[in-house]
Amino acid sequence: MCSPKEVDLQRLEEVFLANLARINSRVLQPLLTDGPSDPQSRKCLKQLHRSSQQLQEVTEESLHSLQDRLRHPKAIGLDSLLLLHGANHVLQVHKEFIESYTSCVVVQAFEKATEQRSEFWQGQRKELQQVLWGLSSEGPVGTALVQAVRQPLTHHVQQYVCLLPSLVDIIKEDDDTRKQVVHATTLFENLQSFMKQELDQAMATQALWLTLSSRPRDALCTPARRLLQDSQDVPVTVTPLRAERVLLFDDVLVLLQGHSIHSFDLKLVWVEPEQDRYSVHFLTPQEEFSFGSKNPQDQVIWQRKVTQAVCQALRGKKDFPVLGVGLESSETPTYRTVAYTFLGDSRLSQATYEGEWCRARPHGQGTLKWPDGQSHVGTFSQGLEHGFGICMVPKASEDKFDRYKCHWQEGSMCGYGICEYDTGEVYKGYFQKGLRHGFGVLESAPQAPHPCKYTGHWKEDQRSGYGIQEDSDRGERYIGMWQADQPHGPGVVVTQAGACYQGTFQADKMVVPGILLTEDDSLYEGTFTRDLTFLGKGKVTFPNGFTLEGSFDIGDRRGLHTNGVLDTAALPPDPSTTCKRQLGLGAFPVESRWQGVYGPFRDFVRAGCPGDRQEALLGFHEQSLRELRESQEHPCYERTPLDDSIRRMENILEEVRQHREPEALRQCLRKALSSPLHPLGRLLRTLTLTFQATYAGIGANKHLKGLAQEEVKQHAQELWAAYRGLLQVALQRKGQALEEEEDTETRDLQVYGLVLPLILPSFYADLSTLYLLLYEREDRLYTQGIANMSLFSDAKLLEFLDVQKHLWLKDLTLTSNQRLSLLSGKCFLSATECLQKMITTMDPQEKLGELERTYREIEAAVSRVLGQEHMLRMDDLLPLLIYVVSHARIQHLGAEIHLIRDMIHPTYVGGLYDFLLTALESCYSHIQKMHQLPSS
């Protein structure tokens, strides 16, 4: 059984549906047939017509649901009514109709449309009065139509509010339908309040447009805009800006002064917390101003209204049911995301910023774009670029950009960055105040006319300090000091042809006599040109010892002219002064050579290892040049999210703190140095890059071995100091006592015994090449000696080496063939295999360990022969070791020995390792002398 209230609802829907049909057919359609010439008004009427049709469809659907319910009350429950289960949808359609209607009111669409066909509408007036409820017989027809369209809707919503609550009486207490009724009632009560506010605002806005002159009206009038507050109603003064009138709309705040119109997008207006009773302060991206009032209550009204309007604008939809409802705070949101185009003469003039804001300043993630194509995507702080960002600067040539992918600080590049220039050059390194400053690598495009690469230090955008430049066009590499973008100070030049020279440069020219070492090991001391032509006074020392001293000149360019003395009686030169002469030592103190690499790490540690500054100070993932140049449209990097970076740094410090025991520390450092995400790993990667830039390729010159060897040792010291810095920070964060300063002996023990073996593999390929080149002649003699010794049978070789017979074999009753077989297959075989393992490791300490095991195996073999423990004297050990070395056939043994000698811990000097290494050196020298042995 249905209630009378449901019947009333059905009748209500039938009446409203009929009214809507008449409004559509008798008002809206005729208005659109020959509507207003004003595009704005015509558009509003079209939207109202569409909204009216939608409302008509929803009302019809609601009516059908009521009719079905009334016909089958037992089969169909109350919850089937559209007004209950679809209350939100019905509400939304009503709201859209109200908003469309009020837009027509604001722009006086009805009035403008009827004025164009005034005679037609005057003739229709009496007929419309009979079919349209509320149509007035007096006044303009347009105004009468405004009332006629509004009255049915107002009455309809009022009836909803009256009838819907009565449905609760016919529903059981525990029925869920009861909640639906309460919900629908609340919605339509709110709709009634919303409609009243909308109508009031529309009428006030319409009245405003009539009071304004054409210029501000044309600039400000839009159908959707509503007036919320007018300073003519609630007086207010503006400082420091001037305004005769202040208008608050639902989307902008407007200051009018004469013909000047100053408008502020509410999404970009911040209302400052209350400072005093008589004023309220506002922040916008380019202006700050205050509203003042003699009456504190007026100030409160403006502050509340502006705050409500700003919050509504940020939500992007009208507050429901009324402005300011549900506002949790009396303040505008501090942080927001919105777009804005800067005007005026500021550095951001014409730029559009889209992103996060804080108190009227770009703050957080955002994008800046200029009309000329320049853009900046990244992090901002208080209006300035701050943090990681990608900036693209257009160049004069079409579709060419400079791309800066860097860290920024207070609006300028500062910290690590990668820049791709429109010329094809790529810079990877550090910046300060927008200029290249500190350590950096600049590499030209491979197809550049004069390809070159600079690895070194910069100062105020110029190469300055220690640096290496490779000039592929000239086939040479400069290693040394720079100033004002030119070689200046001590420097070494290595050529592709194998020659190298050292001198003092000034503005890219050598200004004092220098040293030139040619590929055939001739030595020239004096003055010469950049293309290695002797010029002026000098002295040549040839490899055979002859010397030529005097003056040199090109003459008529038909050859080198000299006026001097040729000395053929001189003794052969000391190899250390010619073929083994090391350049650069003392000219570039090793501890100051790569301060631009060590410095940022020290800054990072001094700052307490902040995870959010790790990229800026230590760099980020670097793409290859090919990847960089392929990322033209979407330049990006595999960057670690900030939260992950901070968390990872905390884990790293905790791991450093917990792993301090010797073996645990070794494993911790091994893991750290091998990881590109660990600060120590990043530092090692950069040091490896500088090492390769100096000593690989053209730089693989034997005269640079000394520089390279001391550089590797210095890197080991700096990496240990870096680890100690991390440890101190880790302990400090946990409130634990900091470790005391190490003495030199303890530090050297860790540097040589722990760090050096771990980092040596990163430098080994290039470093060992320098040793191979430096000791090539000796190793060639050694190889020939090995070849000559291999012509001996094992027995004859033992005899030749004066190995005592009692050390050969105990059972001399064996035949010579049996003895030969035993010697070939087993005699010192284990010792030979141990020695061969020396070349399977890059760790000097492990190499010495294999040498010690070789010595132990020789002693063990002798002891087996003698049938008792036997300690070998040096006189007995040396020939046996020579025998083992000759069978091990280790290539480049001289280079291996010297590398070990240069890299071993100082404490090994005088110990067993030093003794065994000295014995191996003696064997090497002895085998070298055997290169002239006659064939056996």
Side-chain angles (χ1 to χ4, degrees), residues 68-306:
D68 291 343
R69 160 72 178 161
L70 292 173
R71 280 196 297 267
H72 309 285
K74 293 183 178 180
I76 300 176
L78 195 62
D79 58 355
S80 66
L81 299 183
L82 181 65
L83 285 173
L84 299 185
H85 72 79
N88 290 327
H89 175 59
V90 175
L91 174 78
Q92 185 60 33
V93 174
H94 278 77
K95 284 176 61 179
E96 290 173 3
F97 180 82
I98 293 168
E99 289 171 355
S100 299
Y101 168 75
T102 54
S103 293
C104 290
V105 172
V106 167
V107 298
Q108 294 185 300
F110 290 98
E111 290 86 341
K112 292 176 183 177
T114 54
E115 281 177 5
Q116 287 190 220
R117 301 178 64 195
S118 59
E119 292 183 5
F120 168 79
W121 286 105
Q122 287 294 346
Q124 292 288 312
R125 189 164 193 156
K126 287 185 178 181
E127 186 178 346
L128 289 174
Q129 281 180 309
Q130 296 175 4
V131 295
L132 290 179
W133 177 47
L135 184 67
S136 172
S137 59
E138 300 177 357
V141 178
T143 305
L145 290 178
V146 171
Q147 296 295 327
V149 172
R150 184 178 68 199
Q151 286 291 354
L153 178 66
T154 305
H155 178 264
H156 187 62
V157 174
Q158 287 174 346
Q159 291 302 305
Y160 273 162
V161 174
C162 292
L163 292 174
L164 283 174
S166 61
L167 296 179
V168 175
D169 300 336
I170 63 173
I171 304 173
K172 295 179 181 179
E173 289 286 342
D174 57 349
D175 195 332
D176 289 340
T177 308
R178 194 181 186 92
K179 295 179 181 178
Q180 290 181 323
V181 172
V182 173
H183 175 65
T185 302
T186 303
L187 287 182
F188 286 103
E189 287 174 348
N190 289 338
L191 180 63
Q192 197 171 20
S193 301
F194 176 77
M195 183 166 58
K196 181 180 182 305
Q197 177 183 263
E198 281 292 293
L199 292 171
D200 291 344
Q201 289 179 355
M203 296 305 294
T205 307
Q206 183 197 67
L208 170 69
W209 302 140
L210 298 175
T211 67
L212 295 180
S213 60
S214 60
R215 181 176 179 182
R217 182 174 63 246
D218 293 343
L220 298 173
C221 181
T222 64
R225 182 166 287 164
R226 301 291 182 268
L227 178 66
L228 303 182
Q229 193 65 57
D230 187 342
S231 63
Q232 289 190 348
D233 300 327
V234 180
V236 70
T237 57
V238 184
T239 54
L241 302 179
R242 300 180 62 188
E244 298 170 347
R245 191 173 184 181
V246 181
L247 301 173
L248 173 64
F249 294 96
D250 57 358
D251 61 336
V252 292
L253 178 64
V254 178
L255 308 181
L256 298 179
Q257 177 67 29
H259 295 295
S260 174
I261 305 170
H262 207 160
S263 63
F264 302 93
D265 185 345
L266 288 182
K267 293 178 181 177
L268 288 157
V269 173
W270 278 256
V271 182
E272 289 285 82
E274 186 175 334
Q275 298 177 348
D276 60 65
R277 297 177 58 205
Y278 298 97
S279 67
V280 55
H281 192 65
F282 299 98
L283 299 177
T284 69
Q286 293 185 268
E287 300 283 0
E288 292 187 28
F289 53 91
S290 298
F291 285 0
S293 177
K294 295 180 180 179
N295 184 353
Q297 190 60 36
D298 292 345
Q299 179 264 333
V300 171
I301 292 173
W302 274 102
Q303 181 170 352
R304 184 182 71 251
K305 279 290 183 69
V306 174

Side-chain angles (χ1 to χ4, degrees), residues 140 218 234 259 398 453 515 574 621 641 783:
D218 293 343
V234 180
H259 295 295
E398 186 178 357
K453 179 180 179 181
I515 299 170
D574 183 352
H621 171 76
T783 301

